Amino acid sequence: MDNQLECGRQTLDLSQPQVMAVLNITEDSFSDGGRWLNPQRALERAIQMATEGAGIIDIGGESTRPGAIPVSIAEELERVIPVIEAISAAVEIPLSIDTSKAEVMTAAVAAGAGMINDVWGLRQAGALQAAAKAKVPVCIMHMQGQPENMQKQPHYENVLEEINAFFSQRISAVTAAGIETEKLLLDPGFGFGKTLEHNLSILANLDTFAHFKLPLLVGISRKSMLGEVTGADISDRMPAGIAAATIAVRQGAKIIRTHDVAATVQAMKLSYAVMAVDL
Ligand code: 8Y4
């Protein structure tokens, strides 16, 4: 079959749009309030996500929201490794590790993760080498600045051109480190060093990244751009998130990272059914 992404022992079918379910194992995550810190609760939620039709579960132990406090390697390992072990033994779908730290990438893949999702695009110490050794797919996300200060004064001459140039540069660096191009996914990083205007411009023009011929992943769910446009607060942004996901898949996005699994899966099924119409 074509368009199958091999994620370690699992496969992700990219012949149709897939939902990446967000599972935060953090104490300070304002979306989940730390409810998934306990491995048992995380496992229950993961089983529910898989049942709701998620194609992959993204497990993160380090909050990357603007202004978040960095987490130590030991703390991050303690949070995510037991959860990855438990979930990979219980669910069939691939797991992704949301981390920028080389040590966490290595341990997470050994524990059963089949993809690396790095908001730093493998720019932190040792990450290129760790990802090359892990031999699993890697999502390269664009971020201007760093989580501590990225929303201070985001500035671009041309946001689309600059993200394009970043992707080109990272593809070169990553392939030079021995990672196959076929293992890469690209993500413009909504909200990571971007104003509302930048985010809307990226969403309106996502198809400008199609020329790389790599799967596009996007994460818009619950983000402030949705609140800025609609006035809805964080717990009330799902309809706007669904609209954004639909706009993205219509332009070729293959993976939608979201907190709202069942609703997004349903919307993606409808979008794909319409996209498959050939007359
Ligand atoms: C409410 C809840 C409001 C969460 C904002 C947020 C992306 C990502 C994140 C993304 C990829 C987030 C780890 C930020 N966003 N990875 N990670 N793409 N690949 N904020 O857009 O969800 S964390």
Coordinates of all heavy atoms in Angstrom, one line a residue, residues 161-210:
E161 N 8.1 32.6 3.3 CA 9.4 32.4 2.8 C 10.4 32.0 3.9 O 11.3 31.2 3.7 CB 10.0 33.7 2.1 CG 9.4 33.9 0.7 CD 9.9 35.2 0.1 OE1 10.9 35.8 0.6 OE2 9.3 35.6 -0.9
E162 N 10.3 32.6 5.1 CA 11.2 32.3 6.1 C 11.0 30.9 6.7 O 12.0 30.2 7.0 CB 11.2 33.3 7.2 CG 11.8 34.7 6.7 CD 11.8 35.8 7.8 OE1 12.2 35.5 8.9 OE2 11.4 36.9 7.4
I163 N 9.8 30.4 6.7 CA 9.5 29.0 7.2 C 10.0 28.1 6.1 O 10.6 27.0 6.4 CB 8.0 28.8 7.5 CG1 7.6 29.7 8.7 CG2 7.7 27.4 7.7 CD1 6.1 29.7 9.0
N164 N 9.8 28.4 4.8 CA 10.3 27.6 3.7 C 11.8 27.5 3.8 O 12.3 26.4 3.7 CB 9.9 28.3 2.4 CG 9.0 27.5 1.5 OD1 9.4 26.3 1.2 ND2 7.8 27.9 1.3
A165 N 12.5 28.6 4.1 CA 14.0 28.6 4.1 C 14.4 27.7 5.3 O 15.4 27.0 5.3 CB 14.5 30.0 4.3
F166 N 13.7 27.9 6.4 CA 14.0 27.0 7.6 C 13.8 25.6 7.3 O 14.7 24.7 7.6 CB 13.0 27.4 8.8 CG 13.2 26.5 10.0 CD1 14.1 26.7 10.9 CD2 12.3 25.5 10.2 CE1 14.2 25.9 12.1 CE2 12.4 24.7 11.3 CZ 13.4 24.9 12.2
F167 N 12.7 25.2 6.7 CA 12.5 23.8 6.3 C 13.7 23.3 5.4 O 14.2 22.2 5.7 CB 11.2 23.6 5.6 CG 10.0 23.6 6.5 CD1 8.7 24.0 5.9 CD2 10.0 23.4 7.8 CE1 7.6 24.0 6.7 CE2 8.9 23.4 8.6 CZ 7.6 23.7 8.0
S168 N 14.1 24.1 4.4 CA 15.2 23.7 3.5 C 16.5 23.4 4.3 O 17.1 22.4 4.1 CB 15.4 24.7 2.5 OG 14.3 24.9 1.6
Q169 N 16.7 24.4 5.2 CA 18.0 24.3 6.0 C 17.9 23.1 6.9 O 18.9 22.4 7.0 CB 18.1 25.6 6.8 CG 19.5 25.8 7.5 CD 19.6 25.1 8.9 OE1 18.5 24.8 9.5 NE2 20.8 24.7 9.3
R170 N 16.8 22.8 7.6 CA 16.7 21.7 8.5 C 16.8 20.4 7.7 O 17.4 19.4 8.2 CB 15.5 21.7 9.3 CG 15.4 22.9 10.4 CD 16.7 23.1 11.1 NE 17.1 22.0 12.0 CZ 18.3 21.7 12.4 NH1 19.3 22.5 12.0 NH2 18.6 20.7 13.2
I171 N 16.1 20.3 6.5 CA 16.2 19.1 5.8 C 17.6 18.7 5.4 O 18.1 17.6 5.5 CB 15.3 19.2 4.5 CG1 13.8 19.2 4.9 CG2 15.5 18.0 3.5 CD1 12.8 19.6 3.8
S172 N 18.4 19.8 5.0 CA 19.8 19.6 4.7 C 20.6 19.1 6.0 O 21.3 18.1 5.9 CB 20.5 20.9 4.3 OG 19.9 21.3 3.1
A173 N 20.4 19.7 7.1 CA 21.1 19.3 8.3 C 20.7 17.9 8.8 O 21.6 17.2 9.2 CB 20.8 20.4 9.4
V174 N 19.5 17.6 8.7 CA 19.0 16.3 9.2 C 19.5 15.2 8.3 O 19.9 14.1 8.7 CB 17.4 16.4 9.3 CG1 16.8 15.1 9.3 CG2 17.1 17.3 10.5
T175 N 19.4 15.4 7.0 CA 19.9 14.4 6.0 C 21.4 14.2 6.2 O 21.9 13.1 6.1 CB 19.4 14.6 4.6 OG1 19.8 15.9 4.2 CG2 17.9 14.5 4.4
A176 N 22.1 15.3 6.4 CA 23.6 15.2 6.6 C 23.9 14.4 7.8 O 25.0 13.8 7.9 CB 24.2 16.6 6.7
A177 N 23.0 14.4 8.8 CA 23.2 13.6 10.0 C 22.9 12.2 9.9 O 23.0 11.4 10.8 CB 22.4 14.3 11.2
G178 N 22.4 11.8 8.7 CA 22.1 10.4 8.4 C 20.7 10.0 8.5 O 20.3 8.8 8.5
I179 N 19.8 11.0 8.7 CA 18.3 10.7 8.7 C 17.8 10.7 7.3 O 18.0 11.7 6.6 CB 17.6 11.7 9.7 CG1 18.2 11.6 11.1 CG2 16.1 11.4 9.7 CD1 17.8 12.7 12.0
E180 N 17.0 9.7 6.9 CA 16.5 9.6 5.6 C 15.4 10.7 5.4 O 14.6 10.9 6.3 CB 15.9 8.3 5.3 CG 16.8 7.1 5.4 CD 16.1 5.8 5.5 OE1 15.4 5.5 6.5 OE2 16.2 5.0 4.5
T181 N 15.4 11.3 4.2 CA 14.3 12.3 3.9 C 12.9 11.7 4.1 O 12.0 12.4 4.6 CB 14.5 12.8 2.5 OG1 15.9 13.1 2.3 CG2 13.7 14.1 2.2
E182 N 12.8 10.4 3.7 CA 11.5 9.8 3.8 C 11.0 9.7 5.2 O 9.8 9.3 5.4 CB 11.6 8.3 3.2 CG 12.0 8.3 1.8 CD 13.5 8.7 1.5 OE1 14.4 8.3 2.3 OE2 13.7 9.4 0.5
K183 N 11.8 9.9 6.2 CA 11.4 9.8 7.6 C 10.9 11.2 8.2 O 10.5 11.3 9.3 CB 12.5 9.3 8.5 CG 12.8 7.8 8.3 CD 13.5 7.2 9.5 CE 13.3 5.7 9.6 NZ 13.8 5.0 8.5
L184 N 11.0 12.2 7.3 CA 10.7 13.6 7.9 C 9.2 14.0 7.6 O 8.6 13.6 6.6 CB 11.6 14.6 7.2 CG 13.1 14.4 7.5 CD1 13.9 15.5 6.8 CD2 13.4 14.4 8.9
L185 N 8.7 14.7 8.6 CA 7.4 15.4 8.5 C 7.7 16.9 8.8 O 8.7 17.2 9.5 CB 6.4 14.9 9.5 CG 6.1 13.4 9.4 CD1 6.9 12.6 10.3 CD2 4.6 13.2 9.7
L186 N 6.9 17.8 8.2 CA 7.2 19.2 8.4 C 6.0 19.9 9.1 O 4.8 19.4 8.9 CB 7.4 19.9 7.1 CG 8.6 19.4 6.2 CD1 8.6 20.2 4.9 CD2 9.9 19.6 7.0
D187 N 6.2 20.9 9.9 CA 5.2 21.5 10.7 C 5.5 23.0 10.8 O 6.6 23.4 11.3 CB 5.1 20.9 12.1 CG 3.9 21.4 12.9 OD1 3.5 22.6 12.7 OD2 3.5 20.7 13.8
P188 N 4.6 23.9 10.4 CA 5.0 25.4 10.4 C 4.9 25.9 11.8 O 5.3 27.1 12.0 CB 3.9 26.0 9.5 CG 2.7 25.1 9.6 CD 3.3 23.7 9.7
G189 N 4.5 25.2 12.8 CA 4.5 25.6 14.2 C 3.6 26.8 14.5 O 4.0 27.8 15.0
F190 N 2.3 26.6 14.4 CA 1.3 27.6 14.7 C 1.5 28.1 16.2 O 1.7 27.2 17.1 CB -0.1 27.1 14.6 CG -0.5 27.0 13.1 CD1 -0.5 25.8 12.4 CD2 -0.9 28.2 12.4 CE1 -0.9 25.7 11.1 CE2 -1.3 28.1 11.1 CZ -1.3 26.9 10.4
G191 N 1.6 29.4 16.3 CA 1.7 30.0 17.7 C 3.2 30.0 18.2 O 3.4 30.5 19.3
F192 N 4.1 29.5 17.5 CA 5.5 29.4 18.0 C 6.3 30.6 17.4 O 7.0 30.4 16.4 CB 6.2 28.1 17.7 CG 5.7 27.0 18.6 CD1 4.5 26.3 18.4 CD2 6.4 26.6 19.7 CE1 4.0 25.3 19.2 CE2 6.0 25.6 20.5 CZ 4.8 24.9 20.3
G193 N 6.2 31.8 18.0 CA 6.9 32.9 17.5 C 6.2 33.5 16.3 O 6.8 33.9 15.3
K194 N 4.8 33.6 16.5 CA 4.0 34.1 15.4 C 2.9 35.0 16.0 O 2.3 34.6 17.0 CB 3.4 33.0 14.6 CG 4.3 32.3 13.6 CD 4.5 30.9 13.8 CE 5.6 30.2 13.0 NZ 6.2 29.1 13.7
T195 N 2.6 36.1 15.3 CA 1.4 36.9 15.6 C 0.2 36.2 15.0 O 0.3 35.3 14.2 CB 1.5 38.3 15.1 OG1 1.5 38.2 13.6 CG2 2.8 39.0 15.6
L196 N -1.0 36.8 15.3 CA -2.2 36.3 14.7 C -2.2 36.4 13.2 O -2.5 35.4 12.5 CB -3.5 37.1 15.2 CG -4.8 36.8 14.5 CD1 -5.2 35.3 14.7 CD2 -5.9 37.7 15.0
E197 N -1.7 37.5 12.7 CA -1.5 37.7 11.3 C -0.6 36.7 10.6 O -1.0 36.1 9.6 CB -1.0 39.2 11.0 CG -1.0 39.6 9.6 CD -0.2 40.9 9.4 OE1 0.6 41.3 10.3 OE2 -0.3 41.5 8.3
H198 N 0.5 36.4 11.3 CA 1.4 35.3 10.8 C 0.7 34.0 10.7 O 0.7 33.3 9.7 CB 2.6 35.2 11.6 CG 3.5 36.4 11.7 ND1 4.1 36.8 12.9 CD2 3.9 37.3 10.7 CE1 4.8 37.9 12.6 NE2 4.7 38.2 11.3
N199 N 0.0 33.6 11.8 CA -0.7 32.3 11.9 C -1.8 32.2 10.8 O -1.9 31.2 10.2 CB -1.4 32.2 13.3 CG -0.3 31.9 14.4 OD1 0.6 31.2 14.2 ND2 -0.5 32.6 15.5
L200 N -2.5 33.3 10.6 CA -3.6 33.2 9.6 C -3.0 33.1 8.2 O -3.5 32.4 7.3 CB -4.5 34.5 9.7 CG -5.3 34.6 10.9 CD1 -6.1 35.9 11.0 CD2 -6.3 33.4 11.0
S201 N -1.9 33.8 8.0 CA -1.2 33.8 6.7 C -0.7 32.4 6.4 O -0.8 31.9 5.3 CB -0.1 34.8 6.7 OG 0.7 34.6 5.5
I202 N -0.2 31.7 7.4 CA 0.3 30.3 7.2 C -0.9 29.4 6.9 O -0.8 28.6 6.0 CB 1.1 29.9 8.5 CG1 2.3 30.7 8.7 CG2 1.4 28.4 8.4 CD1 2.9 30.6 10.2
L203 N -1.9 29.6 7.7 CA -3.1 28.7 7.5 C -3.7 28.9 6.1 O -4.1 27.9 5.4 CB -4.1 28.9 8.6 CG -5.4 28.0 8.5 CD1 -5.0 26.5 8.5 CD2 -6.3 28.3 9.7
A204 N -3.7 30.1 5.6 CA -4.3 30.4 4.3 C -3.4 29.9 3.2 O -3.9 29.7 2.1 CB -4.5 31.9 4.2
N205 N -2.1 29.7 3.5 CA -1.2 29.4 2.4 C -0.4 28.1 2.7 O 0.7 27.9 2.2 CB -0.2 30.5 2.2 CG -0.9 31.8 1.7 OD1 -1.2 31.9 0.6 ND2 -1.1 32.7 2.6
L206 N -1.0 27.2 3.5 CA -0.3 26.0 3.9 C 0.2 25.2 2.6 O 1.3 24.6 2.7 CB -1.2 25.0 4.6 CG -1.1 24.7 6.1 CD1 -1.9 23.4 6.3 CD2 0.4 24.6 6.5
D207 N -0.5 25.3 1.6 CA -0.1 24.5 0.4 C 1.2 25.0 -0.2 O 1.8 24.3 -1.1 CB -1.2 24.5 -0.7 CG -1.7 25.9 -1.0 OD1 -1.2 26.9 -0.5 OD2 -2.7 26.0 -1.9
T208 N 1.8 26.1 0.2 CA 3.1 26.6 -0.3 C 4.2 25.7 0.3 O 5.3 25.8 -0.2 CB 3.4 28.0 0.1 OG1 3.5 28.1 1.5 CG2 2.4 29.0 -0.4
F209 N 3.9 24.8 1.2 CA 4.9 23.9 1.7 C 4.8 22.5 1.1 O 5.6 21.6 1.4 CB 4.8 23.8 3.3 CG 4.9 25.1 4.0 CD1 3.8 25.5 4.8 CD2 6.0 25.9 3.8 CE1 3.9 26.7 5.5 CE2 6.0 27.2 4.4 CZ 5.0 27.6 5.3
A210 N 3.9 22.3 0.2 CA 3.7 21.0 -0.5 C 4.8 20.6 -1.3 O 5.1 19.4 -1.5 CB 2.4 21.0 -1.3

